[in-house]
Structures are given as C-alpha cells and as structure tokens.
Amino acid sequence: MDSLFSVPLKDGIVTSVDLSRSLDDLSETIVQYGQNVLCVADTNSARYLPSGVNHLVLPPGETEKQWQSIDRILSAALSYGMARDGVFIAVGGGVILDMTAFAASIYMRGARCVLVPTTLLSAVDATLGGKTGIDYGGGKNLVGTFYPAERVVIAPQTLLSLPEREYRCGLGEVVKHAFLSSDRTLFGFLEREHDAVLARSEEAMTEMIRLSLGVKISYITRDPEERKGIRSALNLGHTFGHALEAIRGFSISHGEGVAWGVGRAFDAGVAIGITDPGYAAQARSLMDLYGFDSTRCIVSDEFPAFSLAIGKDKKKKGGEVRFVLMAGQGEPVLMPLPDDAVRKAVVENG
Ligand SMILES: NC(=O)c1ccc[n+]([C@@H]2O[C@H](COP(=O)([O-])OP(=O)(O)OC[C@H]3O[C@@H](n4cnc5c(N)ncnc54)[C@H](O)[C@@H]3O)[C@@H](O)[C@H]2O)c1
C-alpha cells in the first residue's frame, strides 16, 4: 500500500487514502483487519473479497439502495458478533459504499468504516466527504448521515472488470473535475493521455484518480458539511444532467448526463456573459475527445417536462434552483437561471 492523501474532515476526523499495488496487496490489506469485520460487496464486486473473511453479498443496482439492505448489513454484523470497534469494509461501487457507510454510522452508534471503491465513479466521487445513505420515498439519497470513512483504499486493478458504460460514467465525473480544478493539470493530463485512459492502463488510471481526488478534496475540505456553498460547485452539470436523465427515463447513464449537463452549463454561461467563450470552446473539445455528446438535444415538446424536472432538483436554495456555471478554469459561479436561458441552452434550435 502507498499513501496518497490524508484528508482532514468533520470534527478533526482524518480520512487516509491509500493506493493498492496489486490485487494481492488489496486482499492482504483487507485480511489484516482480522475477524472483527464485515465486508460488504455486491455480486459484481464480490470477486475482490479475499476468501475466509466475514462477508455479505447483496444484489447489485441502485434499486437495492434501500432500508432492507441496511437491515441485512446490520443483521450480518450482529450475527458475526461484530463489536463496536469492528470494521465495516465496503467493496464495491457507490451503492455499496453509501449503504455500508450508513450502516457503519448507526451500528452501535458508530462503528469503524473502510471504503474500497471498485467503480471509477465511486473512486473519484463517492469515497471522500462522508455522505452516506439510501434512497427513500422515491427520492435519491434522502435518508443518510455524514460519516467520513477512516480509510479509503483505491485499487485501480479492480476497474479492469468494469463494463465500458460504467467506466465512461466515471469519466464524466473526472472531466467535470478537470474544469473545477484551480489549475490545468488534470485537463492537460486527460488531453495528453487520452489513449492510455481509454485503454485503462493502470498507470494512467492511477494518475487520473489521484488528480481527480485532489480536486474533490480541495472543495470538500473548505466546506466539510456542505453548508457554505463551496462544495455545491461539485454539482456542475448535475442540474441539467439529472433533468435529462429524468425525462429520458434513466436510459442514459449518470455520467453521460453529467457530461451533457456540463456542456449545457458552458453554453448557458456564454449566452449570459458569465463564461469566457474561449475557455468554453476548449472545454467542449475535451468532452468531444472523450466522445461525450453535449449538444442541445431537447425537442421543444419535451421542454415543459424538462423544466419540471429541473424544478424538482433538490439543490434548491430558498425555493430557487441554483445552477453551477463556470466563468473560466476553476471558477464556478452559482446562480439561478431564467427559464428562457435554460430553454436556449437545451432545446434544439431553441
Ligand atoms: N457518497 C457520495 O459522496 C456519492 C457521490 C457520488 C455518487 N454516490 C452514489 O454512488 C452511486 C453510484 O455509484 P456507481 O456508479 O459506482 O454505481 P453502482 O454501485 O451501482 O455500480 C455500478 C455497477 O457496476 C458494478 N460493479 C461495481 N464494481 C465492479 C467491478 N469492479 N467490475 C464489474 N462490475 C462492477 C455494480 O455491481 C453495478 O452494477 C449512486 O447511488 C450515488 O448516489 C455517492
């Protein structure tokens, strides 16, 4: 294991982020926690569980992110006789990580928690910042806690078994981080190492995750509990993207939705004079390089439903939806947008 970061979070808690050198290294690390543990995976990530450890394997998918799964995790922990100083080890994508950390946060009023992300999205987006939870009453992540993990173990080797669609989903978030970064390092890396990134070279994935996490860390450490608005910038592309996902019946992936939304945010920003047009053009070419379609694709008849979906966006403040626009590299601006500006940014020939 190599140490990547040490991230100070809520109440003096520090999350260590480590990098595994190989799958054997990952297994040894998990085994070293001993018997007072519960490893939680889904049927797709279970291949990365070392043999002989206490474990629970859940069915995969967002629809499993619910109370019943939390109940299963807590019951498994109890049946293994796990004590309060026991460790919940989540091995999986964001669904498994969020649920396991939630269960850890309420088990005996708070047990230890280690996260091993096995999707690119979860590695760069769901490991740091302490958000845990489940979907509830038809809404995403409506029940949960802030409970930073004590340790995150990044194992890029696990990403080789990820379906292409899931890998691209993570790339959408990485590209978003490239624009939010205060410097052009990640942006330049993605331009230069495009082939290696798409070929999933271990070296390229490791560097991409390291740089991407660095950007996320710079936002969350300034706003650990999402109360100052700084962290909201990480929602770049999400308001537009979620609305597209909603009206297209979730046939497009979250990452594709976010990348599309980032493109729309750039267009809207240019149209109202917030975004530097030269920077928007560079950003668009990076998205093109990775094959993310960010063209205006809402037909006029779809706009009422799209607008309604935007209104439901949970990041409303004082009843108002605030969009994340970009002035330039690393310069997010949060602001409401009139319906007309939204229409112009998303409707074909709008
Ligand atoms: N806590 C946070 O800050 C935060 C941030 C972003 C997203 N999230 C949450 O993360 C979830 C999305 O995460 P996700 O995209 O990882 O989804 P996911 O956990 O559903 O994983 C996507 C798919 O990949 C499979 N999979 C996982 N690892 C694999 C591997 N190595 N090889 C093959 N298949 C594998 C899973 O079984 C699943 O089918 C959402 O629920 C979202 O709310 C949380």
Side-chain angles (χ1 to χ4, degrees):
M1 261 324 122
D2 295 319
S3 171
L4 275 184
F5 297 103
S6 192
V7 189
L9 290 158
K10 195 186 148 193
D11 301 333
I13 296 168
V14 174
T15 299
S16 334
V17 184
D18 296 329
L19 175 71
S20 89
R21 297 194 181 123
S22 63
L23 288 177
D24 285 345
D25 189 20
L26 174 64
S27 289
E28 279 161 29
T29 303
I30 295 175
V31 167
Q32 273 162 13
Y33 280 94
Q35 282 305 304
N36 193 13
V37 300
L38 175 66
C39 292
V40 183
D42 69 20
T43 48
N44 294 319
S45 60
R47 67 189 96 190
Y48 300 112
L49 294 176
S51 54
V53 292
N54 299 339
H55 67 273
L56 171 70
V57 178
L58 295 168
E62 185 73 30
T63 52
E64 300 298 322
K65 204 172 168 186
Q66 42 150 308
W67 271 115
Q68 209 190 347
S69 304
I70 300 301
D71 194 48
R72 288 189 64 188
I73 297 171
L74 298 173
S75 310
L78 265 186
S79 71
Y80 282 119
M82 214 166 103
R84 189 171 176 217
D85 61 353
V87 192
F88 285 82
I89 304 179
V91 179
V95 168
I96 291 295
L97 266 44
D98 280 9
M99 291 199 300
T100 308
F102 180 39
S105 75
I106 56 176
Y107 186 73
M108 300 193 180
R109 302 200 174 88
R112 296 170 60 198
C113 182
V114 172
L115 304 177
V116 182
T118 64
T119 63
L120 178 57
L121 182 131
S122 62
V124 299
D125 207 23
T127 46
L128 292 176
K131 287 189 194 174
T132 83
I134 52 169
D135 302 335
Y136 191 74
K140 269 200 81 174
N141 301 322
L142 288 190
V143 170
T145 53
F146 267 103
Y147 198 70
E150 65 178 43
R151 188 180 191 191
V152 171
V153 177
I154 304 282
Q157 307 81 7
T158 62
L159 303 186
L160 291 176
S161 59
L162 208 54
E164 189 60 23
R165 178 184 156 96
E166 299 299 343
Y167 187 63
R168 284 188 58 72
C169 196
L171 284 177
E173 296 287 348
V174 173
V175 167
K176 179 199 80 179
H177 283 165
F179 304 138
L180 288 170
S181 173
S182 60
D183 63 37
R184 302 244 330 181
T185 315
L186 178 56
F187 196 134
F189 175 85
L190 291 173
E191 284 177 325
R192 223 175 32 250
E193 300 299 330
H194 163 259
D195 291 349
V197 166
L198 291 188
R200 302 193 207 180
S201 110
E202 191 177 319
E203 201 185 336
M205 289 195 296
T206 303
E207 185 60 0
M208 172 173 73
I209 293 169
R210 193 182 69 78
L211 292 172
S212 199
L213 277 177
V215 177
K216 175 133 187 180
I217 290 167
S218 74
Y219 281 85
I220 57 178
T221 50
R222 283 181 288 151
D223 187 8
E225 288 194 60
E226 210 169 19
R227 293 199 202 277
K228 298 183 194 157
I230 298 171
R231 196 166 160 172
S232 311
L234 293 166
N235 293 322
L236 171 63
H238 284 63
T239 304
F240 285 111
H242 282 163
L244 181 71
E245 286 173 60
I247 67 159
R248 293 280 154 89
F250 296 96
S251 60
I252 60 158
S253 79
H254 175 71
E256 303 271 356
V258 167
W260 179 82
V262 172
R264 296 307 83 225
F266 273 114
D267 264 15
V270 171
I272 62 168
I274 292 277
T275 307
D276 167 14
Y279 183 70
Q282 292 166 26
R284 215 166 293 122
S285 31
L286 182 67
M287 287 191 285
D288 287 347
L289 187 64
Y290 281 87
F292 286 119
D293 181 7
S294 72
T295 51
R296 287 180 288 170
C297 65
I298 304 295
V299 292
S300 203
D301 285 355
E302 283 178 312
F303 188 69
F306 185 86
S307 183
L308 204 68
I310 287 216
K312 284 191 186 150
D313 195 281
K314 68 176 189 291
K315 283 134 216 141
K316 285 182 189 177
K317 232 179 177 183
E320 198 173 47
V321 179
R322 297 204 307 159
F323 289 77
V324 184
L325 306 181
M326 297 298 295
Q329 178 68 49
E331 294 179 287
V333 179
L334 267 73
M335 60 183 296
L337 277 179
D339 222 33
D340 192 42
V342 175
R343 168 182 271 277
K344 281 205 177 98
V346 301
V347 174
E348 277 177 320
N349 313 314

